[in-house]
């Protein structure tokens, strides 16, 4: 899986640039490259539905963030206990990374999933739901209530964004 | 194993951004990076080596498909991530209009 590792290293470099750049607009665009590389990685990992969804969502996300940051570039303040804060955060992340590395030994090895539940979907999916795309049969049949909850969250978030951004009712 | 570790490194970069940066937009970017890393991790766990896309076609066997369950869950998660990002960005824009800054150490006029 050399191409997957190349994509992951590209994503890590893009994420570092997004974190470290002082200019907010450049940072948002670096985030966009990370998301597009993630879309390619989904395509490499044999999940085209996710690649399409990630592409669309990434473009919308970048548009929203550019709208939020445009003409609002601000200088960064590095006053305060800069060294102590950075040291604490780095120590915490180091401990987290160490424990994560040891926990990864308990995972199934890469490329050999267990698939206890999914074996049923794979063998019975076409017969029970009539969908040739198994991801669709899981989303819209076996876990349809999940999808209903997702739609509820999406529309609730849209209502909340409209409530936060509206202009009327602000003047007394 | 190394692919999992690279994914974990990506997660930690996002975590550093959330914990250390003071700019609200940088924090939103950190949340987005963490979300990407978690989505990618689910798909990596469900990947089968030399597998194929979980779509039936008449001329191939079922045996070597990748796991469709994490893909369905991550499909839900991606859309919810967009909704969350939009909501945080809207609140950040309102905060900017009220305080004139994205710096979270300067936003302290909240009385409560």
């Amino acid at each position: 899986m050399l191409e997957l590792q190349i994509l992951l290293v590209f994503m890590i470099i893009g994420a570092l640039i997004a974190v470290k750049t002082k200019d907010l607009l450049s940072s948002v665009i670096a985030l966009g490259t990370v998301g597009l590389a993630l879309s390619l990685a989904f395509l490499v990992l044999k999940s085209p539905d996710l690649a399409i969804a990630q592409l669309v969502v990434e473009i919308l996300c970048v548009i929203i963030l550019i709208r939020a940051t445009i003409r609002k570039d601000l200088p960064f303040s590095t006053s305060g206990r800069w060294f102590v804060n950075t040291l604490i955060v780095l120590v915490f992340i180091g401990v987290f990374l160490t424990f994560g590395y040891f926990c990864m030994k308990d995972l199934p090895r890469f490329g050999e999933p267990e698939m206890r539940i999914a074996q049923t979907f794979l063998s019975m999916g076409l017969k029970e739901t009539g969908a040739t795309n198994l991801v669709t049969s899981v989303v819209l049949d076996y876990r349809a209530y999940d999808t209903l909850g997702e739609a509820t969250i999406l529309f609730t978030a849209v209502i909340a964004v409209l409530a936060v951004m509206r202009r009327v009712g602000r003047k007394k | 194993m190394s692919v999992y570790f690279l994914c974990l490194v990506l997660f930690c970069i996002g975590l550093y951004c959330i914990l250390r940066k003071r700019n609200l937009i940088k924090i939103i970017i950190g949340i987005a990076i963490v979300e990407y890393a978690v989505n990618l991790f689910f798909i990596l766990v469900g990947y089968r080596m030399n597998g194929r896309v979980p779509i039936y076609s008449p001329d191939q066997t079922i045996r070597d498909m990748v796991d469709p369950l994490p893909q369905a869950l991550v499909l839900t998660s991606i859309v919810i991530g967009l909704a969350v990002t939009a909501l945080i960005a809207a609140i950040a824009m309102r905060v900017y209009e009220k305080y004139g800054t994205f710096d979270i150490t300067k936003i302290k006029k909240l009385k409560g």
Side-chain angles (χ1 to χ4, degrees), chain A residues 53 57 150 153-154, chain B residues 35 74-84:
Chain A
V57 163
E150 174 208 338
I153 290 174
L154 189 62
Chain B
E35 183 199 317
V74 169
L75 196 61
T76 309
S77 161
I78 287 174
V79 178
I80 290 176
L82 174 68
V84 169

Side-chain angles (χ1 to χ4, degrees), chain A residues 1-2 10 16 19 23 32 44 52 62-63 67 69 71 92 94 99 102 113 120 124-125 131 133 138 153 157 159 162:
Chain A
M1 298 306 285
L2 185 63
F10 179 77
L16 278 177
V19 172
D23 187 20
V44 170
I52 296 169
V62 168
I63 289 172
R67 170 68 185 84
T69 57
R71 278 188 274 120
F92 173 71
F99 277 99
F102 284 117
T120 316
M124 304 294 289
N133 189 344
V138 174
I153 290 174
I159 291 170
L162 289 180

Side-chain angles (χ1 to χ4, degrees), chain B residues 3-23:
Chain B
V3 183
Y4 287 154
F5 188 71
L6 286 176
C7 193
L8 194 62
V9 169
L10 189 66
F11 183 90
C12 285
I13 292 171
L15 198 63
Y16 173 82
C17 191
I18 294 174
L19 289 177
R20 192 62 193 88
K21 294 293 170 184
R22 287 179 174 175
N23 196 309

Side-chain angles (χ1 to χ4, degrees), chain B residues 38-85:
Chain B
V38 173
N39 287 345
L40 184 59
F41 181 73
F42 276 124
I43 297 300
L44 285 177
V45 169
Y47 181 70
R48 174 176 284 192
M49 198 61 82
N50 298 320
R52 66 184 188 88
V53 178
I55 296 174
Y56 282 112
S57 59
D59 55 342
Q60 278 172 322
T61 57
I62 317 172
R63 292 283 300 166
D64 54 350
M65 281 180 181
V66 301
D67 196 345
L69 187 58
Q71 297 192 13
L73 297 184
V74 169
L75 196 61
T76 309
S77 161
I78 287 174
V79 178
I80 290 176
L82 174 68
V84 169
T85 307

Side-chain angles (χ1 to χ4, degrees), chain A residues 4 7 10 34-46 51 54-55:
Chain A
L4 189 62
L7 274 173
F10 179 77
V34 178
L36 294 180
L38 180 66
S39 171
L40 277 179
F42 282 153
L43 208 55
V44 170
L45 288 169
K46 306 284 167 52
Q54 175 66 34
L55 190 64

Side-chain angles (χ1 to χ4, degrees), chain A residues 5 18-19 21 27 46-47 50 58 77 79 82 86 104 111 113 115 118 122 132 134-135 150 164-166, chain B residues 2 4 12 20-22 26 29 36 43 47-49 51 54-56 67 69 71-72 76 79 94 96 103:
Chain A
Q5 284 167 357
V19 172
T21 315
S27 186
K46 306 284 167 52
S47 43
L50 289 182
E58 183 55 43
S77 61
S79 61
W82 185 85
T86 309
M104 274 191 293
M115 300 177 72
L122 286 185
T132 52
L134 284 169
V135 177
E150 174 208 338
V164 170
M165 294 304 292
R166 68 178 180 156
Chain B
S2 72
Y4 287 154
C12 285
R20 192 62 193 88
K21 294 293 170 184
R22 287 179 174 175
K26 287 275 185 176
I29 287 171
Y36 294 159
I43 297 300
Y47 181 70
R48 174 176 284 192
M49 198 61 82
I55 296 174
Y56 282 112
D67 196 345
L69 187 58
Q71 297 192 13
T76 309
V79 178
R94 275 289 169 226
Y96 184 85
D103 193 342

